[in-house]
Amino acid sequence: PLTDDFLRFQDEQKTGASIGVGHSVGGIVALRAALRQPERFRALVLIDPVLFPSYIIRAWQVIRSIGLAYQVHPLVRASRNRRQQFDDLDRLFKSYRHKLVFRFMGDAQLRTYIEGIACPGEHGFQLCYRADWEMRIYVTSVWNDLDIWSGLPGLTIPLLLMRGAETDTFWASTARRVQRKVPAARVVTIPQATHLVPLERPNARKSASLSKRFRRPTPRFS
Protein backbone atom coordinates (compact mmCIF):
# COMPACT_ATOMS: atom_id res chain seq x y z
CA PRO A 1 0.00 0.00 0.00
CA LEU A 2 2.83 2.45 0.70
CA THR A 3 4.26 1.82 -2.76
CA ASP A 4 0.82 2.35 -4.30
CA ASP A 5 0.61 5.68 -2.48
CA PHE A 6 4.05 6.64 -3.72
CA LEU A 7 3.24 5.85 -7.35
CA ARG A 8 -0.04 7.75 -7.06
CA PHE A 9 1.86 10.73 -5.63
CA GLN A 10 4.21 10.66 -8.61
CA ASP A 11 1.21 10.74 -10.92
CA GLU A 12 -0.38 13.64 -9.06
CA GLN A 13 2.85 15.64 -9.06
CA LYS A 14 3.71 14.68 -12.64
CA THR A 15 7.28 14.01 -11.56
CA GLY A 16 8.36 12.21 -14.71
CA ALA A 17 11.50 10.08 -14.57
CA SER A 18 13.22 11.05 -11.33
CA ILE A 19 15.90 9.96 -8.87
CA GLY A 20 14.20 8.00 -6.12
CA VAL A 21 15.67 8.47 -2.64
CA GLY A 22 14.38 6.60 0.39
CA HIS A 23 15.51 5.85 3.92
CA SER A 24 14.49 2.78 5.95
CA VAL A 25 10.98 1.69 4.91
CA GLY A 26 11.05 4.56 2.43
CA GLY A 27 13.92 2.82 0.69
CA ILE A 28 11.85 -0.33 0.29
CA VAL A 29 8.91 1.72 -1.01
CA ALA A 30 11.13 3.34 -3.65
CA LEU A 31 12.73 0.00 -4.57
CA ARG A 32 9.37 -1.73 -4.97
CA ALA A 33 8.14 1.13 -7.14
CA ALA A 34 11.24 0.87 -9.35
CA LEU A 35 10.87 -2.90 -9.69
CA ARG A 36 7.25 -2.47 -10.74
CA GLN A 37 7.65 0.59 -12.99
CA PRO A 38 11.35 1.23 -13.72
CA GLU A 39 10.54 3.81 -16.39
CA ARG A 40 9.60 6.23 -13.61
CA PHE A 41 13.18 6.41 -12.32
CA ARG A 42 16.56 7.57 -13.60
CA ALA A 43 18.34 6.14 -10.54
CA LEU A 44 17.75 4.91 -7.00
CA VAL A 45 19.46 5.92 -3.75
CA LEU A 46 18.54 3.65 -0.85
CA ILE A 47 19.70 4.77 2.60
CA ASP A 48 19.87 1.89 5.08
CA PRO A 49 16.79 0.18 3.62
CA VAL A 50 14.84 -2.36 5.68
CA LEU A 51 15.97 -5.31 3.61
CA PHE A 52 16.78 -8.62 5.29
CA PRO A 53 18.10 -11.92 3.89
CA SER A 54 15.68 -14.61 2.76
CA TYR A 55 16.00 -16.77 5.88
CA ILE A 56 14.86 -13.86 8.07
CA ILE A 57 11.89 -13.25 5.78
CA ARG A 58 10.86 -16.92 5.87
CA ALA A 59 11.21 -17.03 9.65
CA TRP A 60 8.99 -13.97 9.95
CA GLN A 61 6.44 -15.60 7.66
CA VAL A 62 6.21 -18.50 10.09
CA ILE A 63 5.93 -16.18 13.10
CA ARG A 64 3.09 -14.26 11.46
CA SER A 65 1.30 -17.42 10.36
CA ILE A 66 1.04 -18.66 13.96
CA GLY A 67 -0.13 -15.28 15.22
CA LEU A 68 2.92 -14.28 17.25
CA ALA A 69 4.03 -11.19 15.31
CA TYR A 70 2.92 -8.66 17.91
CA GLN A 71 4.37 -10.73 20.74
CA VAL A 72 7.77 -11.44 19.14
CA HIS A 73 8.79 -8.31 17.26
CA PRO A 74 11.16 -6.31 19.53
CA LEU A 75 10.20 -2.95 18.01
CA VAL A 76 6.53 -3.64 18.64
CA ARG A 77 7.26 -4.06 22.32
CA ALA A 78 9.25 -0.83 22.32
CA SER A 79 6.45 1.06 20.57
CA ARG A 80 3.81 -0.29 22.92
CA ASN A 81 5.80 0.76 25.98
CA ARG A 82 7.00 4.12 24.65
CA ARG A 83 5.76 7.18 26.48
CA GLN A 84 3.38 9.19 24.27
CA GLN A 85 2.75 12.37 26.29
CA PHE A 86 5.31 14.98 27.37
CA ASP A 87 5.08 18.21 29.34
CA ASP A 88 7.64 20.03 27.23
CA LEU A 89 10.17 19.38 24.48
CA ASP A 90 13.18 20.12 26.68
CA ARG A 91 12.24 17.23 28.94
CA LEU A 92 11.80 15.02 25.90
CA PHE A 93 15.21 16.09 24.61
CA LYS A 94 16.91 15.27 27.92
CA SER A 95 15.22 11.88 27.98
CA TYR A 96 16.25 11.00 24.42
CA ARG A 97 19.75 12.42 24.76
CA HIS A 98 20.74 9.49 26.97
CA LYS A 99 19.28 6.77 24.73
CA LEU A 100 21.86 4.54 23.07
CA VAL A 101 20.11 4.71 19.70
CA PHE A 102 20.84 8.46 19.47
CA ARG A 103 24.50 8.23 20.51
CA PHE A 104 25.87 9.44 17.16
CA MET A 105 23.32 12.21 16.72
CA GLY A 106 24.38 15.77 17.51
CA ASP A 107 22.29 17.98 19.76
CA ALA A 108 21.04 20.09 16.84
CA GLN A 109 19.99 17.03 14.86
CA LEU A 110 18.31 15.48 17.91
CA ARG A 111 16.33 18.65 18.59
CA THR A 112 15.22 18.79 14.96
CA TYR A 113 14.18 15.14 15.20
CA ILE A 114 12.18 15.79 18.37
CA GLU A 115 10.46 18.81 16.85
CA GLY A 116 9.46 16.60 13.92
CA ILE A 117 7.98 13.73 15.92
CA ALA A 118 6.17 15.82 18.59
CA CYS A 119 2.85 17.60 18.11
CA PRO A 120 0.92 19.88 20.48
CA GLY A 121 -1.34 17.76 22.66
CA GLU A 122 -4.01 18.21 25.26
CA HIS A 123 -1.38 18.40 27.98
CA GLY A 124 1.84 19.67 26.48
CA PHE A 125 3.07 17.50 23.59
CA GLN A 126 2.43 14.04 22.20
CA LEU A 127 4.09 11.86 19.58
CA CYS A 128 2.55 12.70 16.20
CA TYR A 129 2.61 9.18 14.79
CA ARG A 130 0.28 6.82 16.55
CA ALA A 131 1.87 3.77 18.16
CA ASP A 132 -0.74 1.39 16.72
CA TRP A 133 0.16 2.41 13.15
CA GLU A 134 3.85 2.13 13.92
CA MET A 135 3.35 -1.39 15.26
CA ARG A 136 1.20 -2.29 12.26
CA ILE A 137 4.01 -1.34 9.88
CA TYR A 138 6.47 -3.46 11.85
CA VAL A 139 4.35 -6.61 11.74
CA THR A 140 3.27 -6.28 8.10
CA SER A 141 6.64 -5.38 6.63
CA VAL A 142 9.48 -7.78 5.77
CA TRP A 143 7.35 -10.95 5.57
CA ASN A 144 6.44 -10.37 1.91
CA ASP A 145 9.87 -9.26 0.69
CA LEU A 146 11.00 -12.43 -1.07
CA ASP A 147 9.71 -10.91 -4.31
CA ILE A 148 12.23 -8.10 -3.90
CA TRP A 149 15.09 -10.59 -3.98
CA SER A 150 13.65 -12.33 -7.03
CA GLY A 151 13.16 -9.00 -8.79
CA LEU A 152 16.58 -7.45 -8.09
CA PRO A 153 18.46 -9.21 -10.94
CA GLY A 154 16.13 -7.50 -13.39
CA LEU A 155 16.81 -4.01 -12.04
CA THR A 156 18.58 -2.05 -14.76
CA ILE A 157 18.59 1.51 -13.42
CA PRO A 158 21.62 2.80 -11.45
CA LEU A 159 21.48 1.81 -7.79
CA LEU A 160 23.37 3.41 -4.90
CA LEU A 161 23.08 2.00 -1.37
CA MET A 162 24.22 3.85 1.75
CA ARG A 163 24.39 2.18 5.15
CA GLY A 164 25.52 3.09 8.65
CA ALA A 165 28.57 1.17 9.84
CA GLU A 166 26.80 0.45 13.16
CA THR A 167 23.37 -0.31 11.68
CA ASP A 168 21.30 -3.21 12.96
CA THR A 169 19.07 -3.11 9.88
CA PHE A 170 20.90 -3.17 6.54
CA TRP A 171 23.69 -5.63 7.28
CA ALA A 172 26.97 -5.72 5.38
CA SER A 173 26.19 -9.31 4.34
CA THR A 174 22.85 -8.15 2.91
CA ALA A 175 24.58 -5.37 0.98
CA ARG A 176 27.00 -7.90 -0.51
CA ARG A 177 24.09 -10.07 -1.57
CA VAL A 178 22.44 -7.11 -3.29
CA GLN A 179 25.67 -6.51 -5.18
CA ARG A 180 25.69 -10.12 -6.31
CA LYS A 181 22.15 -9.68 -7.61
CA VAL A 182 22.90 -6.26 -9.14
CA PRO A 183 26.64 -6.21 -9.97
CA ALA A 184 26.59 -2.54 -11.02
CA ALA A 185 25.15 -1.42 -7.65
CA ARG A 186 27.41 0.67 -5.44
CA VAL A 187 27.51 0.47 -1.65
CA VAL A 188 28.88 3.18 0.65
CA THR A 189 29.24 2.58 4.40
CA ILE A 190 29.10 5.68 6.60
CA PRO A 191 31.32 5.43 9.71
CA GLN A 192 29.97 6.23 13.17
CA ALA A 193 26.38 5.89 12.04
CA THR A 194 23.47 3.55 12.75
CA HIS A 195 20.18 3.04 10.96
CA LEU A 196 19.53 6.75 11.61
CA VAL A 197 22.40 7.74 9.32
CA PRO A 198 20.58 10.67 7.58
CA LEU A 199 20.15 12.40 10.94
CA GLU A 200 23.51 11.37 12.36
CA ARG A 201 25.73 12.22 9.39
CA PRO A 202 23.80 14.71 7.22
CA ASN A 203 27.04 16.10 5.75
CA ALA A 204 28.83 12.80 5.21
CA ARG A 205 28.49 13.18 1.46
CA LYS A 206 30.79 16.23 1.73
CA SER A 207 33.66 14.39 3.39
CA ALA A 208 36.77 14.00 1.29
CA SER A 209 36.90 10.21 1.36
CA LEU A 210 33.27 9.75 0.38
CA SER A 211 33.40 12.50 -2.24
CA LYS A 212 36.32 10.73 -3.88
CA ARG A 213 34.28 7.53 -4.02
CA PHE A 214 31.30 9.28 -5.56
CA ARG A 215 33.44 10.99 -8.18
CA ARG A 216 34.88 7.78 -9.56
CA PRO A 217 33.87 7.43 -13.20
CA THR A 218 30.89 5.21 -13.69
CA PRO A 219 28.78 4.76 -16.80
CA ARG A 220 25.68 3.86 -14.84
CA PHE A 221 25.35 6.41 -12.04
CA SER A 222 25.80 10.10 -12.76
Side-chain angles (χ1 to χ4, degrees), residues 12-78:
E12 293 170 353
Q13 300 298 316
K14 298 180 174 60
T15 59
S18 55
I19 297 177
V21 181
H23 168 245
S24 192
V25 173
I28 298 300
V29 169
L31 178 56
R32 281 188 174 280
L35 291 174
R36 283 166 54 177
Q37 299 184 30
E39 69 279 1
R40 290 179 179 263
F41 299 92
R42 291 188 287 120
L44 279 181
V45 179
L46 308 183
I47 306 173
D48 223 83
V50 184
L51 184 60
F52 289 98
S54 301
Y55 70 89
I56 294 291
I57 299 172
R58 292 191 177 94
W60 191 244
Q61 288 175 342
V62 173
I63 290 170
R64 289 188 78 245
S65 68
I66 59 179
L68 292 179
Y70 279 91
Q71 290 81 3
V72 171
H73 201 298
L75 295 181
V76 166
R77 295 196 298 271

Side-chain angles (χ1 to χ4, degrees), residues 17 39 47 68 88 95 102 106 125 134 146 149 156 186 195 198 208 212:
E39 69 279 1
I47 306 173
L68 292 179
D88 59 69
S95 172
F102 300 124
F125 294 87
E134 183 180 359
L146 288 176
W149 287 111
T156 58
R186 300 176 64 189
H195 181 61
K212 185 181 294 184

